[in-house]
Amino acid sequence: MASAAEQLASNLNFSTFAKAEDLKKRLWFTLAALLVYRLGTHIPLPGLNPEAYAQAFRGQAGGILGLFNMFSGGAVERMAIFALGIMPYISASIIVQLMTSVVPSLENLKKEGEAGRKIINQYTRYGTVLLGTLQAYGIAAGLESGNGLVLDPGWFFRLSTVITLLGGTMFLMWLGEQITSRGIGNGISLIIFSGIAAGLPTALAGTLELGRTGALPTALILTVIVVAIGVIALIVFVERAQRRLLIQYPKRQVGNRMFQGDTSHLPLKLNTSGVIPAIFASSLLLLPATAAGFAGNSQLPDWATTIVASLGHGQPLFMLLYGLLIAFFAFFYTAIVFNPKDTADNLKKHGGFIPGIRPGERTAEYIDYVLTRITVVGAVYLVFVCVLPELLIARTGVPLALGGTSLLIVVSVTLDTVAQIQGHLIAQQYEGLIKKSKLRGGKRGR
C-alpha cells in the first residue's frame, strides 16, 4: 500500500491538479479566509492615539511585545482588533489538555471519541472566553496607564476594548475551525503562519537596511542568513525523518489458494509533536507579560517589575524557561496524539505483529520504548532550532521574524499543508483509477 501511494505521488502532475475541483475550492477558501485575517490586522482599535502608541511600541518592540507582535501578524504594532490573536485559544487548549490528564471525568470524555471531543472543544472555547477577557482587560488597563495613549480613558474605553479584542479572538478561533474543516491544513497553524510569513519580507529588508547604514556589520548579516538557511535545511530534514517499524502479517488462505503474508511499516516521525511545543511554550511565556510592557515599571510592584524584566526576550530566564517548556510539550503532546496501546491493539486486531515482539502488551511497550527514544531526539532538535537562533538575534538586534521559532513554524506548516495537498491529489487519482476499472468491467460485462 505504501509503495502504491508513493508511486501515485510520483505521477502527480498539473493535469491531476486541474481535475481536482474539490481541492481547488478548498485552496480558494483557505486563501480567502487568510486574506480576511490579514485585513483584520490593519483595523485599529478605537479610542487610541496612534502617534503616541506607535512611539510607545517602538520602545518595547525589542522585548517580549515584539515576540507577541510576530505571532499576531503585526496586529500588536498597530493595536488592531486582532491584537490578541489566537493565543488565548492556544493557552486554553494547553490548560484543557493538561486537565484531561489529571481529571478523571475529562479523561473519560477523551475516550468517548467524537462526542467526547466535541464537549472538550466546547470547554476549550469557554476557557478562551475567560482568558481572552482577562488579557483584553489587562491590555485596556495597560493602555490607560500609558502617557496619552488613550484619547478618552474610562470604563467605556475598557469595555469597548474588551469586547473588540475578545470578539477578534473568537472570530479567529471560528475562522481557524472553518479552515480546518472546509479548507486545507490546520486552520490555527495557518493563521499563525500567515502572520509570521507576512513579516518576513519586512524583516529581511530591515536587516539589509541596517547593513547598508552600517548599524550591523556585513559579516554578521551574512552569518545570520547562512544560519537561517541552515536552520531551514535542518527543519526540512528532521520533519520528514521517520523511524519505520517493520510490521508483518501472517499467511492467509482464501478458498483453496494460499496468500503470502504481507509486510508493511509503522512510521514514527522523529518530531511527532510538530510545531505545537514552540507555539505552546511561546503562548505561556507571553501570557503574564501581555499588558505589562505598557504599564511601565513605575506602575508595577517591585517583584512584578523583576519578573517582567527577567522574562524579557533574550534574557537568560526567558531562554531557560523557553527551552524547558519546549522539551516538556514535545513529550506531552506526543503522548496525547499517539497512544502505543491503541496502536498495538489495532495491529493485533488485523493480525499484524512486529518480528520478535509478542502482540498486545509487549508490542505496546516496545512501541512506547522506541517512541520515547526518538522523542528525546525530537525535543533536543526543537530546543536547538528555537533557542540558539533566538540567542543570536537577542545579542545582535536582528528582527525576530528571522528567528528559529518563526522559521520552524513557517517551514513546518508549509510541509504539512503541501502533504495534505498531495494527499488530496492522490485520493483524486485513486478515484480516477476506480472509475476507469468500473468502466472497463462494465464493457467486459456487455
Side-chain angles (χ1 to χ4, degrees), residues 243 245 354 357 362-371:
R243 169 74 160 87
L245 300 181
I354 299 175
I357 308 295
R362 294 297 298 272
T363 299
E365 292 176 355
Y366 178 75
I367 294 175
D368 183 66
Y369 169 73
V370 175
L371 187 64

Side-chain angles (χ1 to χ4, degrees), residues 54 148 160 175 178 206 222 250 276 291 316 321 325 446:
S160 64
L175 191 65
Q178 294 301 308
L222 293 176
I276 297 299
L321 290 177
L325 285 173
R446 292 176 186 176

Side-chain angles (χ1 to χ4, degrees), residues 175-228:
L175 191 65
E177 292 175 351
Q178 294 301 308
I179 293 174
T180 302
S181 61
R182 300 173 59 186
I184 286 290
N186 182 283
I188 302 300
S189 298
L190 279 173
I191 287 175
I192 299 175
F193 159 83
S194 63
I196 296 174
L200 285 176
T202 303
L204 183 59
T207 303
L208 295 178
E209 179 64 19
L210 290 175
R212 189 186 67 82
T213 58
L216 288 178
T218 303
L220 178 59
I221 294 177
L222 293 176
T223 300
V224 170
I225 293 175
V226 171
V227 169

Side-chain angles (χ1 to χ4, degrees), residues 337-393:
V337 300
F338 193 96
N339 190 327
K341 189 176 185 304
D342 291 344
T343 304
D345 290 342
N346 289 332
L347 287 175
K348 186 177 181 181
K349 186 185 302 182
H350 293 89
F353 64 93
I354 299 175
I357 308 295
R358 285 185 179 181
E361 186 176 348
R362 294 297 298 272
T363 299
E365 292 176 355
Y366 178 75
I367 294 175
D368 183 66
Y369 169 73
V370 175
L371 187 64
T372 301
R373 292 178 65 186
I374 64 176
T375 303
V376 171
V377 179
V380 172
Y381 145 76
L382 286 174
V383 173
F384 175 81
V385 166
C386 293
V387 175
L388 289 186
E390 300 295 334
L391 286 173
L392 177 63
I393 286 175

Side-chain angles (χ1 to χ4, degrees), residues 14 158 229 335:
F14 183 77
R158 295 184 184 183
I229 294 174

